Amino acid sequence: MKNYDDELKNAERYKNVNLLRNDHVNCYVIRCMGGDVLIDTGRKSARDEIETWLSSYYDIKLIFLTHGHIDAAENAKYFSELYHAPIAMSRYDYPLIHDNLCRTHYITSLRGRLHESKIHTAMDTPIDCFTPDYFVEDGMRLCDLDADGIYMDSKIIALDGHTRGSIGILNGGDLYCGDALTSLGGSFWSTTAESPKAAKYTMQRIAELAPDRIFPCHGEDPLIMGEPKYEKFIKEFSLNK
C-alpha cells in the first residue's frame, strides 16, 4: 500500500523543483517565462536520458556550470549546440575543461578515499572542449547576462573550495550549490577539494546564508530547512554554534 503521507511530503519538498538524477549526478532546470536554465549537464553515459528529459519538458536557453569537473561539464558542448544555448561558468574553472587534473586536489572524505581510483579515472577522461559564452562571478544575476529569454533575478554565489571557480545559484530561497557540499551519507564534504580550507569556509557561508532548501550535485535528498539533515548541517558549520 502506498504511503500517501510520504508522497505528499515529497511533493512539498520538491515543489517547483525540476530535477533529474542520472549516473549519480543531479541536474536541475530553473524555469523562466522566456526560457529555462540547465544547471550542470551530467555524464556522457546518461546523455540520452538527459536529452529525453530536457527535450520533453523544457526550453533550454542557458547552460550554467557550477564547476568545471566532468560530472558537471561533460555534456556541456553537446547540449549547447543542440539547444543553441550559451554556456556560463567561472573563468577560474575554464582550465579544468581542458584537463580536470591540471590543478592539485585533495581527498576530503571517507567516500573519497574509498573511491579514489574511480575519481581519478573519471577526472582523467577528456571533456569535449568549448569556449564559454559568459564568465560569471559572485554577486552577478542571471538577468545581467542578457541571454535570450533569461529574465530571472537569481543571484550567482561564489562557492570556491571544491574547485577555485565553484559557483552556485540562489533562486529565491533555493540554493543550487554544485559540489560545494553533498547530501551523501553522514558527511557533507565533497569527495575532493582544491582547497579544503576554502571548502569549509564555503559551507560555513552557506550555513550563515541559511537558504530554505539546498540542492547539491550529488545526493539522494536536498537539505530542507527544519528537517534533521539540514539542522545537522547548520549545527556542524554554523559560526554561531
Side-chain angles (χ1 to χ4, degrees):
M1 180 179 294
K2 292 182 178 179
N3 188 325
Y4 289 103
D5 287 340
D6 286 346
E7 288 187 5
L8 288 172
K9 181 179 179 181
N10 278 327
E12 184 62 29
R13 295 173 84 235
Y14 289 97
K15 185 177 181 180
N16 299 325
V17 175
N18 305 286
L19 159 68
L20 178 67
R21 294 191 180 97
N22 56 90
D23 199 11
H24 309 292
V25 180
N26 298 331
C27 295
Y28 301 94
V29 173
I30 299 178
R31 308 211 73 163
C32 181
M33 186 179 298
D36 304 319
V37 179
L38 172 62
I39 303 175
D40 293 334
T41 64
R43 296 297 309 274
K44 187 179 292 186
S45 57
R47 180 178 291 174
D48 289 346
E49 180 185 5
I50 301 168
E51 183 178 337
T52 299
W53 177 62
L54 295 175
S55 299
S56 298
Y57 300 106
Y58 306 107
D59 180 18
I60 301 301
K61 292 293 184 69
L62 178 68
I63 295 170
F64 183 93
L65 302 180
T66 61
H67 60 296
H69 283 164
I70 192 166
D71 53 345
E74 189 171 16
N75 289 319
K77 184 176 188 291
Y78 177 82
F79 287 135
S80 176
E81 294 176 350
L82 179 65
Y83 299 115
H84 306 288
I87 300 171
M89 67 181 299
S90 167
R91 69 176 64 254
Y92 298 113
D93 269 18
Y94 183 46
L96 297 178
I97 301 303
H98 299 275
D99 181 6
N100 267 198
L101 296 172
C102 70
R103 296 196 296 247
T104 301
H105 64 271
Y106 304 92
I107 300 296
T108 52
S109 70
L110 175 59
R111 182 179 294 272
R113 294 189 189 95
L114 293 174
H115 299 284
E116 186 169 0
S117 177
K118 186 177 180 179
I119 292 168
H120 185 277
T121 298
M123 294 176 71
D124 199 32
T125 304
I127 295 174
D128 291 335
C129 292
F130 57 86
T131 300
D133 301 274
Y134 303 106
F135 285 124
V136 297
E137 57 189 41
D138 190 56
M140 293 178 65
R141 300 183 182 275
L142 290 182
C143 57
D144 295 337
L145 304 183
D146 198 29
D148 181 36
I150 304 303
Y151 309 118
M152 58 192 72
D153 203 35
S154 305
K155 186 177 180 180
I156 295 166
I157 305 288
L159 301 172
D160 56 306
H162 176 64
T163 63
R164 172 66 181 87
S166 287
I167 50 178
I169 295 178
L170 184 63
N171 184 51
D174 294 337
L175 176 64
Y176 298 87
C177 69
D179 276 4
L181 61 87
T182 71
S183 181
L184 289 166
S187 174
F188 299 104
W189 285 86
S190 186
T191 54
T192 67
E194 291 180 3
S195 170
K197 181 179 180 179
K200 182 177 181 180
Y201 171 78
T202 283
M203 285 191 279
Q204 290 171 335
R205 183 185 182 194
I206 293 173
E208 294 303 301
L209 186 63
D212 297 332
R213 302 186 294 186
I214 305 171
F215 295 101
C217 187
H218 301 287
E220 291 298 318
D221 297 299
L223 275 63
I224 310 291
M225 183 178 287
E227 294 189 359
K229 184 173 282 191
Y230 187 102
E231 298 309 317
K232 179 183 177 184
F233 171 73
I234 296 296
K235 183 177 181 181
E236 185 170 342
F237 291 100
S238 174
L239 295 173
N240 297 319
K241 58 186 176 181

